[in-house]
Coordinates of all heavy atoms in Angstrom, one line a residue:
N842 N -6.1 -17.9 2.2 CA -4.9 -18.0 2.8 C -3.7 -17.3 2.0 O -2.8 -16.6 2.4 CB -4.6 -19.3 3.5 CG -5.3 -19.5 4.7 OD1 -5.9 -18.7 5.3 ND2 -5.4 -20.7 5.1
G843 N -3.8 -17.8 0.7 CA -2.7 -17.4 -0.2 C -2.7 -16.0 -0.5 O -1.7 -15.2 -0.4
S844 N -3.9 -15.3 -0.7 CA -4.0 -13.9 -0.9 C -3.7 -13.2 0.3 O -3.2 -12.1 0.3 CB -5.4 -13.6 -1.5 OG -6.3 -13.9 -0.7
A845 N -4.1 -13.7 1.5 CA -3.9 -12.9 2.8 C -2.5 -13.0 3.0 O -1.8 -11.9 3.5 CB -4.7 -13.5 3.9
N846 N -1.8 -14.0 2.8 CA -0.3 -14.1 3.1 C 0.4 -13.2 2.1 O 1.4 -12.5 2.5 CB 0.1 -15.5 2.8 CG -0.3 -16.4 4.1 OD1 -0.6 -16.0 5.1 ND2 -0.2 -17.8 3.7
G847 N -0.1 -13.0 0.9 CA 0.6 -12.2 0.0 C 0.5 -10.7 0.4 O 1.3 -9.9 0.3
R848 N -0.8 -10.3 0.8 CA -1.0 -9.0 1.3 C -0.2 -8.6 2.4 O 0.4 -7.5 2.6 CB -2.5 -8.8 1.7 CG -3.4 -8.4 0.6 CD -4.7 -7.9 1.1 NE -5.3 -8.8 2.0 CZ -6.2 -9.8 1.7 NH1 -6.5 -10.1 0.4 NH2 -6.7 -10.6 2.6
E849 N -0.1 -9.5 3.4 CA 0.7 -9.3 4.6 C 2.2 -9.2 4.3 O 2.9 -8.3 4.8 CB 0.4 -10.3 5.7 CG -0.9 -10.5 6.2 CD -1.4 -9.2 6.8 OE1 -0.6 -8.6 7.5 OE2 -2.6 -8.7 6.6
M850 N 2.7 -9.9 3.4 CA 4.0 -9.9 3.0 C 4.3 -8.6 2.2 O 5.4 -8.0 2.5 CB 4.4 -11.1 2.0 CG 5.9 -10.9 1.5 SD 7.0 -11.3 2.8 CE 6.9 -13.0 3.0
G851 N 3.4 -8.1 1.4 CA 3.5 -6.8 0.8 C 3.6 -5.7 1.8 O 4.3 -4.7 1.7
R852 N 2.7 -5.7 2.8 CA 2.7 -4.8 3.9 C 4.1 -4.7 4.6 O 4.6 -3.6 4.8 CB 1.6 -4.9 4.8 CG 0.2 -4.6 4.2 CD -0.8 -4.9 5.2 NE -2.1 -4.5 4.5 CZ -3.4 -4.9 5.2 NH1 -3.3 -5.6 6.2 NH2 -4.4 -4.6 4.6
A853 N 4.6 -5.9 5.0 CA 5.8 -6.0 5.6 C 7.0 -5.4 4.8 O 7.8 -4.6 5.3 CB 6.1 -7.5 6.1
L854 N 6.9 -5.7 3.5 CA 8.1 -5.3 2.7 C 7.9 -3.7 2.5 O 9.0 -2.9 2.4 CB 8.0 -5.9 1.3 CG 8.5 -7.4 1.3 CD1 8.2 -8.0 -0.2 CD2 9.9 -7.5 1.7

Side-chain angles (χ1 to χ4, degrees):
N842 285 341
S844 64
N846 289 340
R848 269 194 312 270
E849 297 302 321
M850 180 64 81
R852 288 178 181 167
L854 289 173

